[in-house]
């Protein structure tokens, strides 16, 4: 399991340039005019994790398989999208399918790249997008509430739950707050997710700065950071142009280029890490001579559920998980030494998998 992040933003903020760089493809046309992205372009990238290579080296694994994440480059949004302006309806339909939203905000000055509003104000841009999503949610909720009336008269329990959740969300939206501020109980979590409200999705602000500001940011990105902190959202500072250049280099050249720019790592790494934190994700590993592989799960996942990420039969027939902490596996030199040192644990169905665990599942067929 990876996760799907929708890249959104006003036209000409660097969305498609960033997408092209992140996925190392030219699938999305980057051009200086609105709506150059007509269909949502989808690209998968490997999630970089140095731990996987370390484990593979110790186990002498023939194959190394990282976990993957999906980026979806979605058509540029404009004011009035919630009413179908521009490519609004298409945008809104596509964004419902992602796990999280990356708002790309223009934080660079460039007279050669037209801003759709004629000014550079990333905070105002973020508010424009959020407003359109809230308006779309309000319209959607009002339609759904009408559609529930017949079921409510029949005392349908599921309809009653939906009605309650929709009205709670509507109350927040009408006061200018996104649906993500609603506190949802565990028993409502599944039904809440099924509502697919646009403003219930976690948000990561991506500040697209000029190349010489990638390491330190600028006044625009600082304002976005303050806004994100006030909202409880996350933000990262990236230069889409730098990422585009890095995408054309081999790993050694890319590392030298990053050092020259004063950067410790590529923007892709920061973006993925921020996305993982945003969605409360973590990684466990399966390691052997055939392959070393990374798997993504949500924090708090039980051992059987983690096994189910590999195959449903693993979860159904789960017996136990032979578990070695990453640090123990590395410091002791592999599975057998860790086992001999008493660092391999047999964990049952109630065990909550930890980030970095090296696992081997036993199950009934």
């Amino acid at each position: 399991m990876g996760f799907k992040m929708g890249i959104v933003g006003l036209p000409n903020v660097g969305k498609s340039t960033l997408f092209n760089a992140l996925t190392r493809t030219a699938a999305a046309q980057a051009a200086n005019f609105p709506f150059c992205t007509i269909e949502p372009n989808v690209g998968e990238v490997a999630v970089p994790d140095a731990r996987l290579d370390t484990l593979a080296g110790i186990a002498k694994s023939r194959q190394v398989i990282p976990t993957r994440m999906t980026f979806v480059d979605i058509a540029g949004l404009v004011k009035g999208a919630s009413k179908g302006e521009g490519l609004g309806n298409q945008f809104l339909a596509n964004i419902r399918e992602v796990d999280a939203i990356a708002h790309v905000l223009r934080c660079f000055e460039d007279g050669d790249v037209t801003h759709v509003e004629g000014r550079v104000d990333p905070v105002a841009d973020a508010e424009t997008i959020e407003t359109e999503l809230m308006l779309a949610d309000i319209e959607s909720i009002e339609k759904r509430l009408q559609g529930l009336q017949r079921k409510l008269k029949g005392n349908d329990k599921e309809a009653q739950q939906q009605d309650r959740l929709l009205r709670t969300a509507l109350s927040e939206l009408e006061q200018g707050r996104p649906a993500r501020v609603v506190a949802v109980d565990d028993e409502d979590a599944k039904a809440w997710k099924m509502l697919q409200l646009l403003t219930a999705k976690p948000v990561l602000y991506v500040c697209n700065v000029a190349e010489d500001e990638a390491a330190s940011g600028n006044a625009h990105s600082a304002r976005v950071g303050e806004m994100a902190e006030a909202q409880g959202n996350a933000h990262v500072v990236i230069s889409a142009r730098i990422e585009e250049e890095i995408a054309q280099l081999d790993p050694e050249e890319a590392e030298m280029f990053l050092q020259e720019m004063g950067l410790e790592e590529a923007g892709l790494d920061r973006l993925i890490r921020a996305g993982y934190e945003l969605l409360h994700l973590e990684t466990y590993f399966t390691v052997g001579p055939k392959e070393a592989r990374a798997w993504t799960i949500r924090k708090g996942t039980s051992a059987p559920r983690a096994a189910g990420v590999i195959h449903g039969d693993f979860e159904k027939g789960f017996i136990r998980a032979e578990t070695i902490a990453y640090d123990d596996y590395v410091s002791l030199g592999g599975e057998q030494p860790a086992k001999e040192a008493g660092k391999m644990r047999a964990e049952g169905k109630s065990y909550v998998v930890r980030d970095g665990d090296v696992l081997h599942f036993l199950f009934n067929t």
Side-chain angles (χ1 to χ4, degrees):
M1 167 190 160
F3 68 92
K4 187 181 289 187
M5 177 167 280
I7 302 177
V8 305
L10 295 174
N12 299 335
V13 298
K15 273 189 323 91
S16 295
T17 301
L18 180 63
F19 174 84
N20 289 343
L22 291 173
T23 58
R24 296 175 183 264
T25 72
Q29 177 193 11
N32 182 24
F33 56 90
F35 313 129
C36 63
T37 308
I38 306 301
E39 294 290 340
N41 293 279
V42 179
E44 277 198 347
V45 295
V47 176
D49 193 325
R51 297 175 300 179
L52 180 60
D53 292 325
T54 300
L55 293 169
I58 293 171
K60 296 181 173 55
S61 305
R62 292 191 295 274
Q63 193 173 14
V64 180
I65 306 174
T67 188
R68 306 184 72 80
M69 69 173 287
T70 303
F71 286 107
V72 183
D73 181 26
I74 300 174
L77 184 67
V78 295
K79 282 184 179 178
S82 60
K83 300 299 182 184
E85 291 295 325
L87 298 174
N89 292 331
Q90 196 169 327
F91 169 94
L92 298 169
N94 294 332
I95 203 173
R96 292 188 198 280
E97 304 304 316
V98 301
D99 298 308
I101 300 169
H103 283 198
V104 180
L105 299 172
R106 177 172 172 170
C107 294
F108 64 88
E109 303 282 349
D110 186 342
D112 293 332
V113 180
T114 306
H115 188 288
V116 72
E117 296 288 342
R119 48 94 180 110
V120 177
D121 187 341
V123 171
D125 290 352
E127 290 171 350
T128 294
I129 292 174
E130 189 85 303
T131 296
E132 291 302 326
L133 297 183
M134 286 196 291
L135 289 171
D137 272 348
I138 289 172
E139 183 177 352
S140 171
I141 288 172
E142 289 175 342
K143 287 181 180 177
R144 289 194 224 183
L145 287 173
Q146 291 177 4
L148 287 173
Q149 292 309 305
R150 182 179 296 176
K151 289 184 177 180
L152 288 172
K153 290 177 181 177
N155 291 321
D156 184 295
K157 292 287 173 58
E158 187 177 320
Q160 289 173 349
Q161 183 185 36
Q162 288 181 18
D163 182 78
R164 173 171 51 80
L165 292 174
L166 287 169
R167 291 187 186 280
T168 301
L170 183 60
S171 175
E172 295 293 347
L173 289 162
E174 288 177 338
Q175 296 178 65
R177 292 188 291 267
R180 74 182 70 92
V181 305
V182 174
V184 181
D185 295 332
D186 289 343
E187 68 244 27
D188 288 330
K190 185 176 180 180
W192 175 258
K193 187 176 181 181
M194 294 294 289
L195 296 179
Q196 287 193 305
L197 296 175
L198 302 174
T199 62
K201 297 181 184 296
V203 171
L204 171 65
Y205 294 115
V206 181
C207 303
N208 185 16
V209 300
E211 293 178 61
D212 59 353
E213 297 170 329
S216 58
N218 57 26
H220 291 310
S221 63
R223 288 180 61 219
V224 174
E226 292 170 3
M227 173 184 67
E229 186 175 357
Q231 296 174 350
N233 288 322
H235 84 289
V236 292
V237 177
I238 286 178
S239 168
R241 290 295 180 195
I242 286 180
E243 298 305 315
E244 191 173 42
E245 291 181 49
I246 291 172
Q248 311 305 317
L249 304 175
D250 64 40
E252 190 174 321
E253 290 175 328
E255 189 172 342
M256 289 177 59
F257 180 74
L258 286 169
Q259 289 176 355
E260 290 173 8
M261 299 301 298
L263 298 168
E264 294 182 3
E265 58 184 348
L268 170 61
D269 294 8
R270 295 198 304 278
L271 184 56
I272 289 175
R273 189 165 57 251
Y276 264 52
E277 292 172 0
L278 190 68
L279 288 169
H280 309 293
L281 301 175
E282 60 187 14
T283 303
Y284 77 84
F285 304 99
T286 52
V287 184
K290 182 180 178 182
E291 68 175 36
R293 187 162 185 163
W295 305 88
T296 300
I297 55 173
R298 295 193 183 277
K299 290 179 181 178
T301 297
S302 67
R305 292 288 298 275
V309 173
I310 299 176
H311 197 286
D313 289 345
F314 284 28
E315 181 175 1
K316 292 176 186 174
F318 179 89
I319 299 173
R320 67 179 182 272
E322 294 180 342
T323 309
I324 305 172
Y326 171 81
D327 288 342
D328 290 335
Y329 192 103
V330 173
S331 64
L332 293 167
E335 181 179 318
Q336 190 59 33
K339 188 175 183 179
E340 291 171 359
K343 294 298 184 180
M344 176 184 281
R345 311 184 312 273
E347 301 287 1
K349 293 182 178 180
S350 62
Y351 177 67
V352 175
V353 175
R354 300 169 188 166
D355 186 55
D357 276 351
V358 180
L359 300 177
H360 175 69
F361 296 108
L362 283 81
F363 63 99
N364 285 316
T365 55

